[in-house]
Amino acid sequence: MLRPRLLSELDLRLKNLKGSEDFKNGLKERFIANSSDIEDLYNDLYGHLPNSKKLFSQLLDQLFSAYSERSVELKTRDKDKLKEDYWFCSEQLTGMSLYVDRFAGKLPDVEKKLNYIEELGVNFLHLMPLFESPKDASDGGYAVSDFKRVDERFGNLKDLQHLGTQMRSKGMYLMLDIILNHTSDRHEWAQKAKAGEKKYQDFYYCYPDRSIPDLMEYHMPEVFPESAPGNFTYIHEMNQWVMSVFHSYQWDLNFKNPEVLVAMMDNIYFYANLGVDILRIDAPAFIWKEQGTSCQGLPNAHKLLQLIKLLVEVPAPGMAILGEAIVGPHQILEYFGKGRFTAHQCDFAYNATQMATQWDALATGDTRVMREAMKVVDLKPLGTSWINYSRCHDDIGLGYDDYMISNAGKDPNLHRKYLKDYYSGAFSGSPSKGALFGANPKNNDARISGSLASLCGLEAALESNDPQAIQTSINKLTLMQAQSFFSGGIPLIFYGDELGSLNDYSYLNDASKSYDNRWMHRPIIDWDKASKRTNIDTIEGSVFERHQRLIRIRKENKAFADLKNTHWLTLNSPAICSFIRTSEDQSVFCFLNYSNETQQIPESVFNSLGKGPHQLKELWSNQLMEFKSPLNYFDIKPYQFYILSNKI
Ligand code: GLC
């Protein structure tokens, strides 16, 4: 029920709105549906503050201006998206993350490469941060000094708008980041804070001495323990300590101050009206801090995300939200919302648990830890989706629970040590080439850097010029991608992986990057090399064709839409990951062998299809396979996978 006061706020603002009645009715409906929750969430967070009423009214003004500034083209696109059930869960979507400069050059150069993207079959692009960020202190663009100015390294706002229009005309989708948790220390707000303006010091967490920082740091983990230990930085210009959870040049915004929310909503609406289809909220786990806690994933961080979701949904209902929380399997589910906010907080989250347990399985030839983890991952609510990925621009954290490892019959400490050794060159039997990232001797934690191909063994295989090892590494990387493509969620390829890009060690010669080995897996695309993709006998050609095939198979089968239609199976062989995807008229059985030995699968797995024999189509090889009796077994080779559909 809409509260009378909110109704009068609505009437007042609707009067001044121009545009079609049809669109306005939609807005009205969404306002009526959401505004009481908006008010309650807002009051929970800010109601006790003297300026809360004034700022609430400002938030509503912003919401309506965002709507009136939204183009008819985008409003029509919103309407089309809403006609579908969960447009963002569709099997038609496949994404790619890329750095504009390292992939192509400037924004117009990306536009020239859209045919390459289409040739691959990708129709959703995550452009890595491209708003202004100091070149010497940018954290790959995640330290923003101006949220509305495109960094001149990439071009300008017009170029971005042009690219967006081109993409939409080709039926493509766009994802951009909002770096909500912090700004660069060169952002205007930080500069004003440094100059002593109290208003802007209140935008950040500033303390006159170490007493509170010391108390807080006691409970706060370190994100970059090697390159940026601690969580506070002394700023001599203002003689204060500022909270800087990531690098010292990334100052944490203080969302306890509602002015910060208003200021950041302004940026969010700006991105919405640029035509962003999926907004990636960077580091949402960190957006609310309380003394005496880890300052991560706090209840108010979730409330704030729910509030942002609703504030976006009213004027821009076609913009989905991805919460980039890289947290454990139980914690990640909270980002999809709980109770009455179930499926009404973040539409997407990164499936970091699946990703990490895939790397676990690849190193051990054993999927039992993954199976344990999937019991939790599988609880994701209908109407939300995963971003599935084997690699991204960040490191691989082994962030699943110890009990999952124990339940798989292993010792958690020894097991994690083995994985870190396996991927960082410390284990002599491993073909993987990667490195430890964020190693913290205080708690023995470390994550892993390295490109998909190098971690799968391609770099070492090329060095030793071993054709069989080259083939094995290609099979491994295809296996890893296949799980991302078929298990439920939108696959997001990291640019370069579609060509089998190896680690690039040139970052070591650049002082602005050498302290951060994540740059080893952020390639600069060599387009001469990339042109080999048309020749299937080259590595680039083989890997590219495999990605094309994965995308095609996904698009051709409705069962791969993410509609709570993944059923995990437990086969006797621990080496095999298996699940069934279903739609109204189709069942697709997926089997992935993570080990270096041939395994056997009992034909009884097909019992759910009814009485056999069964003839199924294997989608990867496009061949029919006969299964005659539930008493029989069939072979699956090392690192092979089957995608078996009953629709032939
Ligand atoms: C996210 C980004 C990462 C960045 C961090 C700080 O985790 O993915 O690259 O370093 O946020 O903004």
Side-chain angles (χ1 to χ4, degrees):
M1 254 274 290
L2 186 61
R3 296 170 190 158
R5 210 176 34 71
L6 287 171
L7 189 61
S8 56
E9 299 264 15
L10 173 66
D11 285 344
L12 184 82
R13 288 173 173 93
L14 273 181
K15 259 190 243 142
N16 304 325
L17 279 188
K18 296 197 199 78
S20 96
E21 280 309 308
D22 183 27
F23 284 141
K24 274 205 259 175
N25 285 339
L27 172 78
K28 208 167 144 182
E29 264 172 39
R30 293 190 298 274
F31 186 84
I32 291 173
N34 285 345
S35 57
S36 302
D37 282 336
I38 291 179
E39 190 176 50
D40 289 348
L41 288 164
Y42 177 87
N43 281 337
D44 278 357
L45 295 170
Y46 303 113
H48 59 288
L49 298 171
N51 57 353
S52 81
K53 283 221 162 60
K54 189 180 107 207
L55 287 167
F56 185 66
S57 169
Q58 230 169 293
L59 270 182
L60 294 187
D61 288 343
Q62 266 183 329
L63 181 157
F64 282 88
S65 322
Y67 172 82
S68 45
E69 281 156 24
R70 196 160 177 79
S71 68
V72 171
E73 187 207 346
L74 291 180
K75 284 177 183 158
T76 311
R77 194 171 162 91
D78 288 340
K79 229 180 136 187
D80 291 343
K81 285 178 180 163
L82 296 183
K83 275 188 216 141
E84 278 177 57
D85 273 346
Y86 316 122
W87 64 271
F88 54 86
C89 299
S90 166
E91 77 288 353
Q92 296 301 317
L93 286 177
T94 301
M96 177 186 272
S97 271
L98 59 88
Y99 288 99
V100 167
D101 51 347
R102 301 172 87 78
F103 177 72
K106 290 191 160 206
L107 284 159
D109 302 309
V110 173
E111 207 172 304
K112 288 189 203 125
K113 294 286 180 223
L114 288 181
N115 50 1
Y116 170 85
I117 309 270
E118 281 183 308
E119 182 188 331
L120 180 60
V122 159
N123 56 1
F124 149 46
L125 288 188
H126 171 209
L127 302 181
M128 298 295 290
L130 34 78
F131 290 91
E132 196 185 80
S133 174
K135 198 167 190 290
D136 56 328
S138 95
D139 188 20
Y142 284 99
V144 180
S145 50
D146 188 330
F147 287 99
K148 292 188 181 172
R149 181 197 289 260
V150 167
D151 199 299
E152 58 187 25
R153 273 174 285 162
F154 309 122
N156 57 38
L157 192 61
K158 276 219 170 75
D159 297 333
L160 178 59
Q161 284 162 327
H162 199 268
L163 173 63
T165 310
Q166 286 298 106
M167 285 175 58
R168 286 195 294 281
S169 73
K170 289 171 174 291
M172 292 182 167
Y173 296 84
L174 173 67
M175 175 154 90
L176 293 184
D177 284 83
I178 177 80
I179 293 105
L180 204 62
N181 178 65
H182 43 259
T183 71
S184 155
D185 61 354
R186 321 257 175 99
H187 190 281
E188 191 192 348
W189 303 333
Q191 294 293 323
K192 288 186 171 164
K194 268 190 198 172
E197 279 191 50
K198 171 87 173 71
K199 174 176 156 95
Y200 291 101
Q201 290 183 350
D202 288 346
F203 267 45
Y204 301 95
Y205 292 90
C206 296
Y207 301 97
D209 56 44
R210 282 287 319 179
S211 52
I212 294 181
D214 281 345
L215 287 173
M216 291 189 83
E217 267 184 353
Y218 184 75
H219 301 275
M220 292 170 79
E222 292 171 312
V223 180
F224 298 132
E226 296 156 312
S227 55
N231 286 283
F232 293 85
T233 303
Y234 177 69
I235 308 297
H236 70 94
E237 287 95 328
M238 58 182 186
N239 189 23
Q240 302 223 41
W241 291 84
V242 70
M243 188 187 285
S244 56
V245 168
F246 291 86
H247 294 98
S248 57
Y249 53 79
Q250 288 164 304
W251 290 15
D252 287 62
L253 284 167
N254 178 4
F255 279 92
K256 288 184 168 174
N257 174 356
E259 294 202 35
V260 172
L261 174 65
V262 172
M264 289 308 281
M265 280 313 299
D266 183 53
N267 293 323
I268 290 180
Y269 288 139
F270 179 72
Y271 294 170
N273 284 344
L274 277 178
V276 168
D277 296 288
I278 301 177
L279 182 73
R280 177 187 185 276
I281 298 190
D282 184 60
F286 297 84
I287 57 178
W288 197 276
K289 278 89 175 177
E290 296 289 351
Q291 206 176 310
T293 72
S294 68
C295 297
Q296 290 186 31
L298 298 184
N300 279 353
H302 291 285
K303 264 192 197 155
L304 188 54
L305 288 172
Q306 283 152 8
L307 176 59
I308 292 172
K309 167 74 188 163
L310 297 180
L311 288 170
V312 163
E313 193 172 73
V314 178
M319 184 167 81
I321 290 195
L322 160 64
E324 186 260 342
I326 307 301
V327 297
H330 291 278
Q331 292 82 351
I332 195 65
L333 294 173
E334 297 191 23
Y335 289 81
F336 295 117
K338 280 200 292 204
R340 52 201 273 267
F341 290 104
T342 302
H344 224 133
Q345 182 173 319
C346 295
D347 302 296
F348 283 105
Y350 278 86
N351 201 349
T353 298
Q354 170 166 275
M355 179 277 295
T357 56
Q358 282 187 255
W359 288 107
D360 181 313
L362 195 72
T364 56
D366 182 341
T367 68
R368 282 178 298 173
V369 177
M370 182 199 292
R371 288 178 190 174
E372 284 297 321
M374 288 306 126
K375 289 180 194 162
V376 182
V377 166
D378 197 33
L379 301 174
K380 176 177 70 64
L382 177 67
T384 61
S385 196
W386 293 115
I387 291 290
N388 281 337
Y389 62 116
S390 306
R391 287 303 289 115
C392 70
H393 69 289
D394 279 332
D395 43 283
I396 301 168
L398 305 172
Y400 35 95
D401 299 275
D402 280 353
Y403 84 82
M404 296 171 172
I405 304 176
S406 310
N407 284 3
K410 301 168 197 231
D411 175 276
N413 286 332
L414 291 178
H415 183 67
R416 286 181 203 278
K417 179 170 181 328
Y418 168 74
L419 296 175
K420 286 180 273 181
D421 288 351
Y422 187 92
Y423 288 116
S424 65
F427 176 70
S428 60
S430 165
S432 291
K433 284 213 161 195
L436 292 185
F437 174 76
N440 190 345
K442 286 182 226 157
N443 57 11
N444 231 348
D445 188 27
R447 286 111 71 188
I448 296 153
S449 281
S451 79
L452 174 66
S454 292
L455 291 175
C456 284
L458 183 58
E459 194 174 326
L462 286 170
E463 276 166 12
S464 57
N465 203 6
D466 176 344
Q468 207 184 327
I470 292 176
Q471 193 51 53
T472 302
S473 68
I474 294 177
N475 292 345
K476 283 184 181 176
L477 76 82
T478 319
L479 178 86
M480 294 292 283
Q481 298 291 57
Q483 185 159 346
S484 303
F485 273 71
F486 300 129
S487 70
I490 306 298
L492 191 64
I493 300 169
F494 188 58
Y495 79 107
D497 287 345
E498 79 283 8
L499 296 165
S501 296
L502 305 178
N503 291 339
D504 175 352
Y505 303 99
S506 64
Y507 76 99
L508 290 166
N509 307 322
D510 177 344
S512 70
K513 299 191 171 73
S514 55
Y515 61 90
D516 185 341
N517 71 21
R518 291 177 298 173
W519 287 102
M520 80 163 58
H521 55 252
R522 298 171 178 175
I524 297 170
I525 298 300
D526 172 346
W527 286 98
D528 282 338
K529 235 171 141 236
S531 66
K532 292 200 212 153
R533 70 185 181 279
T534 50
N535 178 357
I536 191 99
D537 295 328
T538 62
I539 290 172
E540 289 77 6
S542 164
V543 175
F544 193 82
E545 186 279 329
R546 284 162 175 247
H547 280 83
Q548 284 176 313
R549 218 187 317 168
L550 290 170
I551 297 173
R552 200 172 54 241
I553 294 171
R554 206 181 121 72
K555 283 191 184 158
E556 284 169 0
N557 293 278
K558 270 237 156 289
F560 295 126
D562 185 21
L563 299 169
K564 211 127 184 85
N565 52 343
T566 306
H567 313 279
W568 294 86
L569 301 175
T570 307
L571 299 191
N572 273 344
S573 160
I576 300 176
C577 160
S578 57
F579 50 87
I580 313 178
R581 303 301 311 277
T582 53
S583 66
E584 261 168 34
D585 60 349
Q586 189 183 19
S587 295
V588 186
F589 290 76
C590 304
F591 303 107
L592 300 98
N593 181 0
Y594 273 89
S595 79
N596 60 2
E597 283 174 15
T598 297
Q599 305 287 325
Q600 292 208 311
I601 301 174
E603 291 188 15
S604 57
V605 285
F606 303 118
N607 284 352
S608 60
L609 292 176
K611 209 169 152 354
H614 302 289
Q615 196 179 46
L616 301 176
K617 187 160 170 196
E618 206 289 303
L619 300 177
W620 182 247
S621 59
N622 199 23
Q623 283 183 359
L624 290 178
M625 285 174 73
E626 296 273 334
F627 299 96
K628 297 207 173 77
S629 155
L631 301 176
N632 290 348
Y633 286 78
F634 61 101
D635 282 352
I636 180 165
K637 292 201 207 91
Y639 308 114
Q640 188 187 3
F641 60 88
Y642 286 121
I643 309 295
L644 289 157
S645 167
N646 67 344
K647 215 165 141 184
I648 46 181

